[in-house]
Amino acid sequence: LPPPPRRAHQGISVGEVSDANPTDITPASYAFSIWGAIYTLLALFCVLSHPKLSSGSALLTERIGWLFVATNVANAAWICTFVWGSAPAVWVSTVFIAALEACLIAIYLRANCWREKRASLLEFVAVDVAFSAYLGWVTVSSHDLSLRSSAEQRRSESVSRPGRDDP
């Protein structure tokens, strides 16, 4: 991949890259602030997953456990790739966000979100609410990213084949 014009640690954000490559469903950059709330809910999940607090809950340890680790790896890979900002990076990031979405769907199904009574209100918020919000936003992001990748492909094809009139 070509080097980015500015690296993530130099201040480029997911919202800025998204704004630079708009699609019909690209949210405004301020909409990305929802991630603060989502990450707070996931932090609550992490705290409740601690062995001394989860009281051996099979939900937190066996049914979600390693899938949650996989979501964190896929999320980090997606963000690091997407903020690169180049067309190939956007394509590669599509693979990572698809993996993230697949892991979240698996968590949602394995945890029986919204279909199973939780041990406490905190567990309900940390599992059902947190993973619903996370999956919802990742789903929107993955579809936006797919549109962005397709639009970039169409732009590059029209540039590489000037004068071509057929669709």
Side-chain angles (χ1 to χ4, degrees):
L1 299 173
R6 213 170 53 177
R7 297 203 183 276
H9 66 275
Q10 293 173 322
I12 194 167
S13 70
V14 170
E16 289 173 311
V17 174
S18 181
D19 286 347
N21 302 283
T23 67
D24 289 340
I25 63 168
T26 300
S29 357
Y30 65 83
F32 290 92
S33 63
I34 189 69
W35 288 103
I38 292 170
Y39 288 140
T40 300
L41 290 168
L42 294 174
L44 177 62
F45 172 79
C46 290
V47 168
L48 288 180
S49 295
H50 189 278
K52 292 187 188 244
L53 298 175
S54 68
S55 62
S57 171
L59 168 67
L60 302 176
T61 56
E62 296 169 18
R63 288 168 42 196
I64 296 175
W66 285 104
L67 282 169
F68 181 66
V69 173
T71 66
N72 288 299
V73 171
N75 193 28
W78 170 73
I79 291 170
C80 290
T81 308
F82 186 74
V83 297
W84 205 265
S86 68
V90 171
W91 275 100
V92 171
S93 67
T94 303
V95 173
F96 292 127
I97 203 164
L100 172 58
E101 188 174 18
C103 289
L104 287 169
I105 289 169
I107 287 173
Y108 201 84
L109 294 173
R110 290 183 70 156
N112 288 316
C113 286
W114 301 93
R115 294 180 293 169
E116 187 175 293
K117 186 168 174 56
R118 303 292 173 214
S120 68
L121 177 61
L122 276 178
E123 187 175 277
F124 169 76
V125 171
V127 176
D128 296 64
V129 174
F131 288 107
S132 294
Y134 196 11
L135 177 58
W137 272 93
V138 167
T139 299
V140 169
S141 297
S142 67
H143 292 285
D144 181 51
L145 191 57
S146 294
L147 287 172
R148 187 180 320 281
S149 297
S150 297
E152 184 61 39
Q153 180 67 31
R154 283 192 304 275
R155 271 196 301 271
S156 68
E157 285 175 359
S158 67
V159 169
S160 66
R161 291 182 267 180
R164 184 172 172 189
D165 293 329
D166 49 296

